[in-house]
Amino acid sequence: MSRKEKIIVFSAHSDDFVIGAGGTIAKYTQQKNKVLAVVFSYGEMSHPWLKKKVVHKMRYKETVDASRLLRCRSIFYDLRERKFLEDYQAKNMKETLVQLLEKEKPTKIFTHSHEDPHPDHRAVHEITLEVFNELQQKPELYMYSIWNPVSFKTHYPSLYVDISKTFSLKLKALWKFKSQKVHVLYPFFLLMYKSIKDGMKMRTRFGEHFFRIK
Ligand SMILES: [Zn+2]
């Protein structure tokens, strides 16, 4: 991580980028690299009884608070959960995202895994590949995992990042998402288990594990 980097993290829901890459994000920004989290949905499905505007405001605030801790920027798109690909087509998001990436010129993109059982996560993976193919200047492309706790079946090269110094920031950022009913259920012990397991690969306390796919 010596030369200055610009990182973009694609995130289906507002807390995915923190669960999947929060420690790495904080590490990058501490080393004066710029990180932008792109959140694809506000996630109204977990609060169907609340007005859309209320959920948006809540999610926005939680994400801004979490991003402040990790020192990254974040932006939202308003795709409906479980209808990502439909909305992506209808809203011509491909062009929007290509323009965003051409403006930001990331050196690395992190996105969801195609092996993730959550349909929105897999949709973001597909969208990422489609947009990536349009780019003139290709960044490195990595994937992170949310709901595949044990291991990937994939044989892509691994990137392990030592997050021992930023792991507590990651946890603090995660606590900001009090309204994310679905993901707050993401078991704490699973996160600990994965972080320690990935850390052991580097003989360090906590790690995050990514796969380079492009
Ligand atoms: Zn998610």
Side-chain angles (χ1 to χ4, degrees), residues 6 21 35-36 38 49-50 52 66 81 99 137 155 180 183 199 206:
K6 190 148 190 190
V35 180
L36 170 67
V38 177
W49 59 91
L50 287 179
K52 197 172 159 182
E81 284 171 282
Q99 278 175 10
Q137 257 183 305
H155 296 290
Q180 270 287 29
H183 285 161
F206 299 111

Side-chain angles (χ1 to χ4, degrees), residues 11-16 19 112 118 120-121 146-147 180 183:
S11 181
H13 311 101
S14 55
D15 53 353
D16 290 331
I19 296 172
H112 287 279
H118 196 303
D120 293 344
H121 296 177
I146 301 287
W147 290 113
Q180 270 287 29
H183 285 161

Side-chain angles (χ1 to χ4, degrees), residues 48-150:
W49 59 91
L50 287 179
K51 281 217 175 83
K52 197 172 159 182
K53 246 171 71 184
V54 177
V55 178
H56 283 200
K57 231 177 126 179
M58 199 161 71
R59 286 290 145 72
Y60 182 75
K61 187 178 183 315
E62 289 171 349
T63 308
V64 167
D65 288 348
S67 301
R68 191 170 293 143
L69 282 171
L70 304 178
R71 297 191 184 174
C72 65
R73 288 183 299 141
S74 44
I75 54 170
F76 274 93
Y77 293 111
D78 191 10
L79 304 190
R80 287 168 304 160
E81 284 171 282
R82 312 272 165 158
K83 295 207 162 55
F84 273 29
L85 294 176
E86 199 182 301
D87 285 358
Y88 168 75
Q89 298 293 350
K91 295 183 174 189
N92 197 17
M93 284 291 296
K94 186 171 172 176
E95 208 183 304
T96 308
L97 289 167
V98 169
Q99 278 175 10
L100 173 78
L101 294 181
E102 281 179 345
K103 190 177 125 233
E104 297 286 337
K105 296 185 179 56
T107 51
K108 287 186 170 73
I109 295 176
F110 292 84
T111 192
H112 287 279
S113 160
H114 62 293
E115 289 181 14
D116 196 304
H118 196 303
D120 293 344
H121 296 177
R122 284 206 309 275
V124 167
H125 179 87
E126 263 179 61
I127 290 169
T128 310
L129 286 185
E130 214 181 292
V131 172
F132 182 90
N133 285 335
E134 297 295 315
L135 297 178
Q136 303 286 332
Q137 257 183 305
K138 307 281 192 205
E140 294 172 12
L141 182 56
Y142 296 88
M143 56 186 189
Y144 61 85
S145 71
I146 301 287
W147 290 113
N148 15 18
V150 185

